[in-house]
Amino acid sequence: MSNQEINIQKPSQSAAGTKAVLKATKIAFNATSFSKNLKVFTKLNQSKGIDCPGCAWPDPKKRSKLGEFCENGVKAIAEEIMDQSAGVNFFSRHSVSELNSKSDYWLGQQGRLTLPMIIREGDTHYQPISWSEAFEVIGNKLQSLDNPDEAVFYTSGRTSNEAAFLYQLFVRMFGTNNLPDCSNMCHESSGVALNKTLGIGKGSVTLEDFQHAEVILIFGQNPGTNHPRMLTSLEKAKKNGAKIITINPLKEIGLVNFKNPQTVKGLAGAGQSISDLYLQVRINEDVALIKAIMKELLRLEQERGDVLDQEFIDSKTDGYESLVSDLEKYELQDLINRTGLEKDDISTLIKWLAESDKIIACWAMGLTQHVNAVDNIQEVVNLLLMKGSIGKQGAGTCPVRGHSNVQGDRTMGIWERPTKAWMDKLAGVFDFKPPMSPGYNVVETIQAMLEN
């Protein structure tokens, strides 16, 4: 433990507001000049501007003239445009062991790299090399391998579509499908579950759907920290009459109260209450909760006949009878006991769902970071299918990713298990024979490295 005294404070009672504006302004002006900030931030997330690398939340058709970005976006862009640089002198002052002891935040604040650096065997400090030398080192190493599958090529969802396409083409021309990426560690389970249930590995809603939703379910998310612009969309949805239900073991303050910094109420007032119902479910008991909900909706359907979309179920889904049989295996109270919630809270949610068919389900890594993550998401989809809340305005699935271009990377071919159709297209257009055997994902890559 550090000798410093631990500073304990009361948690904030709201997210964003004046505090976020002041913090973002300080970060921006510490990074670069007023004129450079003005040039960049007036174009950030605008229709003919630049995309923010801060998160994957989509842009509205009608952009805000005050600024279509959040505090997180300012932090991300500030690191991209900062005047400070980390050049030869910086690396001569700091050894590798010293840099290794620093936090990621500290390293990010030291400035942008100005040229390639290399650490050679036996050295204690990084040394500069030219771009031609850097390419030569990489090329020689790759050519020295006994097999292309001895190399892996990792990428992040912050790359552009063009860069991602060229990267995967280069890797496959080299001869391997070892293309692990950040999605393996965050939303891989979303893609698997959605492809199995709906046949499409991404969300089925647009940003405009939020303005037509009657109920919005939010599973395992912290928008106030990870994608604050989502709070603006939720604020608008709530003003249009949507009920917002948050399902999360922790109270995330952004989903309790949001002070929109682009409104007078947000800057000077009490802010906007976001969640109509906040269910602090036990960790990884989301499936139990959803089964309890579906079991009660099924009971109400049998009593009233107007709760589920039977026409949609009969014409658009398979396996409904199996789902009903599975639900009959469980006792309602046992499921509720597993969630750690009160029956009255669940009853309120069931009432709102029973009366609505325009339902959007959002989730982030609170659902995806479990061994049973695919099951979690499949059960969310089952609930939406029971209600016919897929493929209509104001209804559907919304996996909220953290990086700005995770979906774009996959669409461009960054995937360790590409489809035959994709590989056949590459072969036809670029006249080479691509590798067909599956490559390593992130977990498999780390295991292979451990095994040398």
Side-chain angles (χ1 to χ4, degrees):
M1 289 289 291
S2 168
N3 291 328
Q4 293 182 334
E5 185 177 344
I6 296 174
N7 184 15
I8 299 175
Q9 299 177 343
K10 288 185 177 181
S12 175
Q13 299 302 303
S14 62
T18 306
K19 186 177 179 180
V21 173
L22 294 175
K23 180 71 173 179
T25 303
K26 181 180 178 181
I27 290 169
F29 289 153
N30 282 343
T32 189
S33 65
F34 174 81
S35 59
K36 192 173 179 181
N37 275 305
L38 186 66
K39 182 179 179 180
V40 172
F41 285 105
T42 52
K43 295 181 179 178
L44 189 59
N45 290 327
Q46 298 300 329
S47 58
K48 294 185 179 180
I50 55 175
D51 274 337
C52 177
C55 77
W57 193 249
D59 302 320
K61 290 180 180 178
K62 185 178 180 182
R63 314 295 171 98
S64 169
K65 295 289 181 63
L66 290 175
E68 194 59 58
F69 53 84
C70 66
E71 180 184 344
N72 275 3
V74 173
K75 292 174 181 176
I77 290 293
E79 285 203 6
E80 298 285 341
I81 65 172
M82 66 167 58
D83 295 329
Q84 188 171 334
S85 62
V88 176
N89 291 336
F90 172 82
F91 287 100
S92 66
R93 292 196 309 269
H94 301 285
S95 68
V96 174
S97 60
E98 181 186 350
L99 293 174
N100 201 38
S101 68
K102 301 293 186 181
S103 69
D104 289 348
Y105 176 78
W106 185 91
L107 293 169
Q109 298 304 301
Q110 303 315 300
R112 293 172 57 85
L113 297 177
T114 58
L115 71 172
M117 307 293 294
I118 191 170
I119 178 72
R120 300 187 188 277
E121 189 172 356
D123 285 353
T124 58
H125 290 68
Y126 281 104
Q127 301 294 332
I129 57 173
S130 67
W131 279 107
S132 59
E133 288 177 295
F135 293 140
E136 185 177 356
V137 168
I138 295 168
N140 288 342
K141 184 62 179 178
L142 292 178
Q143 288 177 336
S144 72
L145 301 176
D146 294 331
N147 187 308
D149 288 330
E150 291 182 5
V152 293
F153 300 82
Y154 181 82
T155 190
S156 148
R158 287 176 68 166
T159 53
S160 67
N161 282 347
E162 295 82 359
F165 182 82
L166 287 174
Y167 192 56
Q168 64 85 33
L169 181 61
F170 153 63
V171 172
R172 288 181 171 123
M173 283 184 165
F174 177 65
T176 184
N177 282 317
N178 287 344
L179 278 162
D181 73 318
C182 63
S183 184
N184 292 151
M185 303 303 289
C186 56
H187 272 278
E188 188 78 44
S189 49
S190 294
V192 171
L194 291 173
N195 271 310
K196 282 185 175 181
T197 52
L198 300 177
I200 179 172
K202 58 184 179 180
S204 68
V205 297
T206 66
L207 189 57
E208 285 66 36
D209 281 308
F210 279 80
Q211 310 316 313
H212 302 280
E214 296 168 341
V215 172
I216 299 173
L217 302 171
I218 301 175
F219 292 87
Q221 268 185 269
N222 184 6
T225 295
N226 298 323
H227 25 261
R229 286 198 300 151
M230 181 181 181
L231 297 176
T232 303
S233 299
L234 294 178
E235 180 185 44
K236 291 178 181 177
K238 184 154 185 175
K239 288 178 180 177
N240 288 340
K243 296 289 187 184
I244 297 175
I245 298 92
T246 299
I247 299 156
N248 197 323
L250 293 175
K251 273 285 181 77
E252 306 292 2
I253 195 61
L255 290 166
V256 176
N257 187 278
F258 169 52
K259 291 188 174 183
N260 189 338
Q262 296 200 357
T263 66
V264 174
K265 182 181 179 182
L267 287 173
Q272 171 70 58
S273 172
I274 295 294
S275 298
D276 294 282
L277 183 63
Y278 206 118
L279 301 179
Q280 290 183 262
V281 66
R282 283 197 182 118
I283 293 174
N284 201 21
E285 289 295 352
D286 304 278
V287 167
L289 174 61
I290 299 169
K291 283 187 183 296
I293 292 168
M294 291 192 294
K295 194 172 177 68
E296 278 296 272
L297 290 175
L298 185 62
R299 180 184 64 80
L300 291 173
E301 170 67 18
Q302 292 166 348
E303 289 179 2
R304 293 163 32 183
D306 61 349
V307 173
L308 304 183
D309 191 334
Q310 289 293 345
E311 182 181 351
F312 179 90
I313 291 170
D314 293 340
S315 62
K316 304 295 184 184
T317 71
D318 291 312
Y320 177 66
E321 293 78 11
S322 298
L323 176 67
V324 172
S325 297
D326 177 71
L327 292 175
E328 289 173 349
K329 296 176 184 176
Y330 299 90
E331 292 294 331
L332 177 64
Q333 192 57 53
D334 290 342
L335 292 170
I336 294 174
N337 290 343
R338 281 175 54 183
T339 68
L341 300 170
E342 298 296 328
K343 187 174 182 179
D344 286 347
D345 288 336
I346 296 177
S347 298
T348 300
L349 172 55
I350 291 165
K351 177 178 180 294
W352 290 341
L353 291 174
E355 296 169 350
S356 309
D357 64 351
K358 294 183 177 181
I359 303 165
I360 293 177
C362 309
W363 68 88
M365 287 189 282
L367 283 193
T368 66
Q369 295 294 283
H370 295 285
V371 172
N372 53 290
V374 173
D375 295 337
N376 292 342
I377 297 152
Q378 285 179 324
E379 212 70 288
V380 171
V381 174
N382 284 338
L383 173 59
L384 294 175
L385 291 174
M386 285 179 75
K387 292 293 299 178
S389 297
I390 292 284
K392 65 173 63 172
Q393 188 181 60
T397 57
C398 183
V400 184
R401 292 166 164 89
H403 287 298
S404 53
N405 203 33
V406 170
Q407 188 58 52
D409 273 9
R410 279 298 166 88
T411 304
M412 292 296 104
I414 300 289
W415 194 18
E416 75 280 357
R417 284 169 171 77
T419 63
K420 184 178 183 301
W422 176 265
M423 301 301 266
D424 288 345
K425 278 289 187 181
L426 288 183
V429 173
F430 296 100
D431 193 25
F432 78 106
K433 187 176 180 180
M436 298 305 294
S437 57
Y440 285 148
N441 61 29
V442 170
V443 175
E444 292 163 344
T445 293
I446 294 170
Q447 186 62 42
M449 291 168 69
L450 287 171
E451 295 172 359
N452 203 29

